[in-house]
Amino acid sequence: MRKAQFGLIGLAVMGENLALNVERNGFSMAVYNRTAARTQEFMEKRAVGKNIQAAYSIAEFVELLERPRRILLMVKAGAPVDDMIRQLLPYLEKGDLVIDGGNSLFTDTDRRADELQQSGIRYIGTGVSGGEYGALHGPSIMPGGQPEAYVLVEPILTAISAKVNGEPCVTYIGPRGAGHDVKM
């Protein structure tokens, strides 16, 4: 089985719609949700016939991804983001990328960026605007973090973003928590 180009954790409405948007734009996906029933329902309904692979554990999810791994977290802001990062860390390698696409407080993003950099893990805090319709058809995306990390996902984020007069609604905002600061 071929490794997925992009991974997404969190299959609530925004996560599902972003996964479908990424896949529709030509990138293979791996998905995981902490409740297996949610993952199974997504795979049996909205993901049928799509280039999306499901995982039912963190270890399985990480194994589905090509290196360097690019993982988008679409989980509730605050402690759930920290909890998910803690669960991922034992399986990640230097150079992998974690993206927080939720509505995190920029100071939390600053802290996470510093902590993960010590482990050699890249981190981007990304504002995503447009609601569930935007997530599916093209959101405005505000990534902040390490410039070299943004380069790893720039083609994906550009492809899935909203377009105005042909111009993508995504740009690198700045270091650390800049993307979440602009969004929030």
Side-chain angles (χ1 to χ4, degrees):
M1 180 180 295
R2 190 158 187 234
K3 302 273 185 180
Q5 296 167 294
F6 198 66
L8 184 138
I9 295 175
L11 291 172
V13 174
M14 289 292 288
E16 281 190 11
N17 285 348
L18 282 167
L20 293 169
N21 185 349
V22 171
E23 191 276 341
R24 185 182 65 249
N25 279 283
F27 300 95
S28 56
M29 290 291 305
V31 296
Y32 169 79
N33 196 77
R34 66 182 168 83
T35 53
R38 178 73 128 182
T39 304
Q40 186 172 354
E41 179 182 359
F42 175 66
M43 295 305 294
E44 291 173 353
K45 293 181 179 174
R46 299 186 75 199
V48 170
K50 310 269 188 239
N51 193 3
I52 299 175
Q53 301 174 57
Y56 295 92
S57 71
I58 294 290
E60 179 186 10
F61 171 75
V62 172
E63 186 57 35
L64 289 174
L65 298 170
E66 70 181 22
R67 290 179 174 95
R69 297 171 185 98
R70 292 170 286 269
I71 300 168
L72 174 61
L73 303 180
M74 292 303 295
V75 300
K76 187 176 179 180
V81 175
D82 292 317
D83 291 343
M84 188 52 61
I85 290 170
R86 272 192 292 280
Q87 291 177 51
L88 279 167
L89 270 176
Y91 302 101
L92 298 180
E93 298 172 350
K94 185 177 180 178
D96 287 345
L97 169 61
V98 176
I99 307 160
D100 175 8
N103 291 332
S104 289
L105 182 64
F106 77 94
T107 53
D108 286 342
T109 303
D110 288 345
R111 174 183 49 80
R112 292 176 188 126
D114 291 342
E115 291 169 358
L116 288 171
Q117 189 168 5
Q118 293 174 14
S119 302
I121 305 301
R122 296 175 173 131
Y123 189 71
I124 295 176
T126 301
V128 179
S129 290
E132 62 185 82
Y133 180 87
L136 184 59
H137 298 288
S140 175
I141 307 171
M142 297 144 270
Q146 302 148 318
E148 65 275 13
Y150 176 63
V151 170
L152 290 175
V153 290
E154 184 176 14
I156 297 169
L157 298 182
T158 299
I160 69 167
S161 72
K163 310 295 184 290
V164 175
N165 299 324
E167 292 294 317
C169 293
V170 61
T171 191
Y172 173 74
I173 301 296
R176 301 174 73 218
H180 279 141
D181 187 37
V182 168
K183 160 71 168 149
M184 299 308 290

